[in-house]
Amino acid sequence: MPTYRVLVNGKFDHPEADTRSRLLAELSDHQAIGFTEDGLLTYSAHLGAFTFRITLQGEEERDVLDEAELKVMEMLDAKGYPYRDVAGKATCMDDIKIRRR
């Protein structure tokens, strides 16, 4: 089954003061960059946009994109973080060719 790296971008939708405080308090936990099987949420202190990076396996790119977008939306909903404009891009790791010198 092909392995995909999925990058999901979105925006925080005008979080209220208490939500902004929680996001800023967790900021240091959301600075790592990379792709994991559980997914990594990253954002900056200006709390405009966020990125969710995840590695998934699936037969169809669209199914993998839907799964990644659903995961990040469920995570943000569970924490009570408002969001909008969620869209993902997938790269099939099996299709990447490495040129050796």
Side-chain angles (χ1 to χ4, degrees):
M1 191 173 305
T3 300
Y4 290 88
R5 284 188 173 177
V6 184
L7 184 68
V8 180
N9 294 307
K11 296 178 182 176
F12 291 113
D13 193 16
H14 307 293
E16 295 180 5
D18 62 326
T19 304
R20 289 182 68 78
S21 297
R22 285 189 297 137
L23 283 164
L24 291 172
E26 296 177 4
L27 182 63
S28 63
D29 298 336
H30 297 283
Q31 297 300 301
I33 294 182
F35 291 84
T36 67
E37 292 179 2
D38 295 329
L40 286 173
L41 179 69
T42 59
Y43 55 88
S44 67
H46 80 283
L47 302 179
F50 62 82
T51 301
F52 183 71
R53 293 174 174 87
I54 190 166
T55 301
L56 296 170
Q57 291 186 336
E59 290 297 329
E60 299 293 326
E61 182 176 328
R62 183 71 254 167
D63 294 340
V64 172
L65 281 170
D66 290 343
E67 182 180 349
E69 290 170 1
L70 184 61
K71 280 184 184 266
V72 72
M73 289 187 288
E74 286 175 345
M75 181 184 61
L76 293 169
D77 285 338
K79 292 184 175 245
Y81 298 155
Y83 59 89
R84 62 185 170 92
D85 303 336
V86 174
K89 297 176 193 168
T91 302
C92 181
M93 300 310 293
D94 300 341
D95 293 341
I96 293 178
K97 306 239 186 296
I98 299 173
R99 291 195 293 169
R100 304 208 190 263
R101 293 183 187 200

